[in-house]
Amino acid sequence: MREVCVLGVGLHKFGRFPEKSVEDMGRVAILNALDDAGIEFRDIEAAYCGRVYAGLMGAGLRVINEVGQTGIPIVNVEQACSSSSVALRLGYYAIGAGICDMALIVGFEKMERGMLRATSPANSYDELVGMSTPMAWYALEIRRHMEQYGTTAKQIAMVSVKSHRNGTLNPYAQYQQEMTLEQVLNSRMIADPITLYECSPTTDGASAAIICSREKAQKYTNSPIFIAGWAAGSPIYEKGKDYDELGIRLTEKLAKEAYERAGMGPGNMDVVQIHDAAASGEIQRFEALGFCNKGEGGRWVEEGRTEIGGEIPVNTDGGLLSRGHPVGATGLAQIAEVVWQLRGQAGKRQVAGKPKAGLCHNSGIGGVNITILKT
Amino acid sequence: MREVCVLGVGLHKFGRFPEKSVEDMGRVAILNALDDAGIEFRDIEAAYCGRVYAGLMGAGLRVINEVGQTGIPIVNVEQACSSSSVALRLGYYAIGAGICDMALIVGFEKMERGMLRATSPANSYDELVGMSTPMAWYALEIRRHMEQYGTTAKQIAMVSVKSHRNGTLNPYAQYQQEMTLEQVLNSRMIADPITLYECSPTTDGASAAIICSREKAQKYTNSPIFIAGWAAGSPIYEKGKDYDELGIRLTEKLAKEAYERAGMGPGNMDVVQIHDAAASGEIQRFEALGFCNKGEGGRWVEEGRTEIGGEIPVNTDGGLLSRGHPVGATGLAQIAEVVWQLRGQAGKRQVAGKPKAGLCHNSGIGGVNITILKT
């Protein structure tokens, strides 16, 4: 399998854009990525699009036709909140296999108010017991964690405070205002202990990346960013193990796989993006990804060790909580942030000391995707 | 890139099953494919699912969990009527790249009455001029063909008569009754000249295939079926060329690519599956795939040369018209039919003379997929 690089990335600002279509936003993200890569649309040989709500029947074609028509195959992937990470992985396989040399990956979404409230199939067991929103799952997980390890409501809220502070440094973020600990803790309770401001918002937005073979990248840049490792999988319910830790166990397993493929460990990661659909999720995934021992995640946040200036900066762009979470577009926004950080182009939120490797953790209903990038 | 084989195929009967879920039907197709391949679910390393209407958020996981939970990554693809062909192609890339050795491909669908009636985005140009159903496009194409080449309404109807005759030989087909020329011609007009019985029906169903590397296949069979060639692309509107021939031009271009990859030509194809969403479409795609000169397709049908006993048997399983068209499941049903034909396992509809290669043409809104299989 050939080595694969991320040659360019681009975003359309995340936020609420009732006047814009996914075509409008997708076009901006794609043009930004093409510009960043220094290539033309005609150089693209295939496209992979991640979206959830953007319409059946060829949404990817409609978005990509905004930029050009060259007859390339266009694939639409739907993987809930990790759709564009999965799209990236599929493009990575194709380039790795030698099917093509240069591919466009796009994520886009327009979300109606409350769209992600109910995600379980009607009449499913999950729905019948009231577990029909992702926040109910996050609440179950973190309740046990609080019980077992003494993680506090304050520590959880501090994740959101950190994310919103980072969001003020990111011109693409949906929310660019700081939020106080009191504001987060006193906001409306959604699923105890998770409050409103500890939930990722509904968001419109688009993201894009250009990926290519190592050989191809050499024509355009002296410092490509490589896809060094990846892992993807689905949760397994194991008898005798806890249902509420399904996502954690999966993340632990996949993190090992991704580090092994990359020939690196958590200690090599200089910047990390974690799927913080709920603030509590960041704490537990930070542990599952091997950055600290189980039960210590809350203290790491409280001690500021996951801040941009800390030992392991997490969600430097504001994460899902502040940058926003337009489901189909989220995965590539994580990739864009790590690419910018590794190139030293992250502006006011740049991690110090020339970061050399970063990890993106993106999860969707029924699956987790991990991508490790390196210089 | 490594060689890739189809090791097993399986279907759930196509038809109307109001009492069944996609999980029910998908399970049957998967178990049949596993059985056909002679492997266990635990041998599967990745899954690619094609579906359109089967629900957002991890429909593939729900279907595959019916058979087993091993934590494999599961990808959901939505490519309109060619969803499961695209899923197959993505699995083919992954195995070709060496990402995994054995993958499951699944297509499934439950369709509501009239689901495919309107496929254009609201307020799009296509909708505003009344081109909001696929049949309107097929009608435009064939009207010109009738004008230019003298193709007749009778020839178009004979495609449907042939398909329904083939359907009587296929226990998986939605319709297993013959239909007379008069019945087809006298059925309700849908989009002049296309009548009701020249349109593919709405259908429930599921299809599955197991694909693997050549090395892996050798452990299970002495006569694997190889994926010999493929092509995929999107239509290009070229100024000065005719809008109503977009799909035809694309098919002509991709057929050349697929034959070149396979190192074969149309003369090597012993059995052919064509996307006959409308009967007229089969005639024009038969030409575009290089099986006869442009304008001769109608005569080929009239002269019986595309019958099971003819020179180039087309849609031996009844095609979309009679086997049915559960959009996400259609592509793999074509693959299953060609695999059975190449193995000599097609029962009463077996093509004579030990067929060695076959072609599947599956198109969805915004794209065409061609797959060439060989012994």
Side-chain angles (χ1 to χ4, degrees):
Chain A
M1 166 126 175
R2 304 192 297 173
E3 280 185 290
V4 181
C5 305
V6 182
L7 190 62
V9 291
L11 299 182
H12 178 285
K13 188 181 181 311
F14 284 14
R16 298 307 262 162
F17 306 102
E19 76 290 3
K20 290 192 181 186
S21 64
V22 290
E23 288 88 342
D24 292 334
M25 295 187 293
R27 181 180 59 237
V28 170
I30 296 170
L31 290 173
N32 284 343
L34 289 169
D35 189 48
D36 186 48
I39 65 163
E40 304 286 332
F41 180 72
R42 62 172 169 267
D43 299 321
I44 300 291
E45 296 165 68
Y48 295 83
C49 305
R51 89 284 172 267
V52 180
Y53 300 109
L56 298 174
M57 303 281 179
L61 180 71
R62 293 202 311 275
V63 168
I64 288 173
N65 273 357
E66 292 280 313
V67 184
Q69 290 186 46
T70 51
I72 56 170
I74 296 167
V75 171
N76 299 299
V77 180
E78 187 276 300
Q79 213 72 17
C81 309
S82 63
S83 294
S84 56
S85 294
V86 175
L88 177 77
R89 183 160 52 84
L90 297 176
Y92 165 79
Y93 291 176
I95 292 175
I99 293 287
C100 64
D101 290 325
M102 182 91 74
L104 168 67
I105 321 294
V106 194
F108 48 84
E109 208 74 73
K110 260 186 90 74
M111 295 175 70
E112 302 295 330
R113 189 178 154 86
M115 230 173 189
L116 256 172
R117 205 177 296 154
T119 48
S120 301
N123 300 317
S124 64
Y125 176 77
D126 294 353
E127 191 193 47
L128 296 175
V129 297
M131 301 301 294
S132 59
T133 129
M135 292 309 140
W137 287 102
Y138 281 109
L140 261 192
E141 281 179 0
I142 197 68
R143 265 281 157 223
R144 162 181 290 251
H145 200 265
M146 293 168 88
E147 192 66 36
Q148 284 189 309
Y149 303 108
T151 302
T152 65
K154 182 186 164 195
Q155 288 168 345
I156 300 167
M158 284 185 77
V159 170
S160 186
V161 171
K162 167 182 69 66
S163 281
H164 282 85
R165 189 181 309 119
N166 294 350
T168 66
L169 309 175
N170 181 4
Y172 291 105
Q174 179 169 12
Y175 296 115
Q176 301 185 29
Q177 298 98 31
E178 293 213 27
M179 201 167 269
T180 66
L181 190 61
E182 291 65 37
Q183 280 177 303
V184 176
L185 284 169
N186 296 331
S187 64
R188 186 156 57 89
M189 187 59 74
I190 300 298
D192 192 2
I194 300 171
T195 68
L196 180 66
Y197 295 153
E198 291 169 1
C199 299
S200 59
T202 46
T203 311
D204 307 327
S207 52
I210 313 290
I211 63 173
C212 66
S213 62
R214 186 193 190 110
E215 301 73 49
K216 200 84 178 175
Q218 287 168 341
K219 294 186 186 175
Y220 298 96
T221 176
N222 294 320
S223 50
I225 304 300
F226 292 91
I227 298 178
W230 63 275
S234 314
I236 305 173
Y237 174 68
E238 295 162 84
K239 221 173 159 181
K241 290 206 177 172
D242 304 311
Y243 201 40
D244 59 354
E245 279 231 319
L246 272 180
I248 307 291
R249 290 203 301 276
L250 177 60
T251 304
E252 288 168 349
K253 171 180 164 267
L254 294 178
K256 289 194 187 92
E257 285 182 30
Y259 291 133
E260 197 180 309
R261 286 197 178 101
M264 293 193 263
N268 300 110
M269 299 301 115
D270 301 311
V271 56
V272 176
Q273 305 300 312
I274 294 178
H275 194 87
D276 57 335
S280 62
E282 181 179 307
I283 292 175
Q284 293 191 272
R285 271 68 188 175
F286 183 79
E287 297 172 358
L289 291 165
F291 296 113
C292 69
N293 293 325
K294 203 153 182 170
E296 294 177 356
R299 277 212 305 285
W300 272 66
V301 173
E302 195 166 9
E303 293 166 4
R305 297 161 78 184
T306 60
E307 301 276 352
I308 288 174
E311 285 156 69
I312 302 181
V314 176
N315 291 336
T316 47
D317 65 352
L320 281 63
L321 289 168
S322 177
R323 180 200 62 229
H325 183 27
V327 284
T330 290
L332 284 185
Q334 293 183 326
I335 297 289
E337 176 66 5
V338 171
V339 166
W340 286 325
Q341 290 284 354
L342 297 186
R343 287 180 184 162
Q345 297 176 338
K348 290 180 187 167
R349 58 188 194 285
Q350 180 63 48
V351 166
K354 294 197 178 171
K356 289 183 183 56
L359 179 146
C360 298
H361 161 274
N362 187 204
S363 63
I365 290 171
V368 169
N369 253 267
I370 296 174
T371 313
I372 296 177
L373 299 173
K374 69 174 181 185
T375 55
Chain B
M1 166 126 177
R2 304 192 297 173
E3 280 185 289
V4 181
C5 305
V6 181
L7 190 62
V9 291
L11 300 183
H12 178 285
K13 187 181 180 313
F14 284 15
R16 299 305 264 162
F17 305 102
E19 77 289 3
K20 291 192 179 186
S21 64
V22 290
E23 288 88 341
D24 293 333
M25 296 187 292
R27 181 181 60 237
V28 170
I30 296 170
L31 289 174
N32 284 343
L34 291 169
D35 189 48
D36 186 50
I39 65 163
E40 304 285 331
F41 180 72
R42 62 173 170 268
D43 299 321
I44 300 290
E45 297 165 69
Y48 295 83
C49 305
R51 89 285 173 265
V52 179
Y53 300 109
L56 298 173
M57 303 281 180
L61 180 70
R62 294 203 310 275
V63 167
I64 288 172
N65 273 357
E66 292 280 313
V67 184
Q69 290 186 46
T70 52
I72 56 170
I74 296 169
V75 172
N76 299 298
V77 179
E78 188 274 300
Q79 213 72 17
C81 308
S82 63
S83 294
S84 57
S85 293
V86 175
L88 176 77
R89 183 159 54 84
L90 297 175
Y92 165 79
Y93 291 175
I95 292 176
I99 292 288
C100 64
D101 289 326
M102 183 90 75
L104 168 66
I105 321 293
V106 195
F108 48 84
E109 208 73 72
K110 262 186 87 75
M111 296 176 71
E112 301 296 330
R113 190 177 154 84
M115 229 173 191
L116 255 172
R117 204 176 298 156
T119 48
S120 302
N123 300 317
S124 64
Y125 175 76
D126 294 352
E127 191 194 45
L128 296 175
V129 297
M131 302 299 296
S132 59
T133 130
M135 292 310 140
W137 287 101
Y138 280 109
L140 261 192
E141 280 180 0
I142 198 68
R143 265 281 156 222
R144 163 181 289 253
H145 201 267
M146 293 168 87
E147 191 67 37
Q148 284 188 310
Y149 303 108
T151 302
T152 65
K154 182 186 163 196
Q155 289 168 346
I156 301 167
M158 284 185 76
V159 170
S160 186
V161 172
K162 166 182 70 65
S163 280
H164 283 85
R165 191 179 310 122
N166 294 350
T168 66
L169 309 175
N170 181 3
Y172 290 105
Q174 180 169 9
Y175 296 116
Q176 301 183 29
Q177 299 98 29
E178 293 213 28
M179 201 167 268
T180 66
L181 190 61
E182 291 64 38
Q183 280 177 304
V184 176
L185 284 170
N186 296 331
S187 64
R188 187 155 57 89
M189 187 59 73
I190 299 298
D192 192 3
I194 300 171
T195 68
L196 180 66
Y197 294 152
E198 291 168 1
C199 298
S200 59
T202 46
T203 311
D204 306 327
S207 52
I210 313 291
I211 63 173
C212 67
S213 63
R214 184 191 191 111
E215 302 72 51
K216 201 84 179 175
Q218 287 167 343
K219 294 186 186 177
Y220 298 97
T221 176
N222 294 320
S223 50
I225 305 299
F226 292 91
I227 298 177
W230 63 275
S234 313
I236 305 173
Y237 174 67
E238 295 162 83
K239 221 175 159 181
K241 289 207 179 172
D242 303 312
Y243 201 39
D244 59 355
E245 281 233 315
L246 272 180
I248 307 291
R249 289 203 302 277
L250 177 60
T251 305
E252 287 169 350
K253 170 178 164 270
L254 295 178
K256 289 195 187 91
E257 284 182 30
Y259 291 133
E260 196 179 310
R261 287 196 177 101
M264 291 193 264
N268 300 111
M269 298 301 115
D270 301 311
V271 55
V272 175
Q273 305 300 311
I274 295 178
H275 193 86
D276 56 335
S280 62
E282 182 180 306
I283 291 176
Q284 293 191 272
R285 271 70 186 171
F286 184 78
E287 297 172 0
L289 292 164
F291 295 114
C292 69
N293 292 326
K294 203 154 181 170
E296 293 177 357
R299 277 213 305 284
W300 272 66
V301 174
E302 195 167 7
E303 293 166 4
R305 297 161 77 182
T306 60
E307 300 277 351
I308 288 175
E311 284 156 71
I312 302 179
V314 176
N315 292 336
T316 47
D317 65 351
L320 280 63
L321 289 169
S322 176
R323 179 201 63 228
H325 183 29
V327 284
T330 290
L332 284 184
Q334 294 183 326
I335 297 288
E337 175 66 6
V338 171
V339 165
W340 285 324
Q341 290 284 355
L342 297 185
R343 288 181 184 160
Q345 296 175 339
K348 291 182 188 166
R349 57 188 196 285
Q350 179 64 48
V351 165
K354 294 195 177 174
K356 289 183 182 59
L359 180 146
C360 297
H361 161 273
N362 188 205
S363 64
I365 290 169
V368 169
N369 254 267
I370 295 174
T371 314
I372 295 176
L373 300 173
K374 67 173 182 186
T375 55

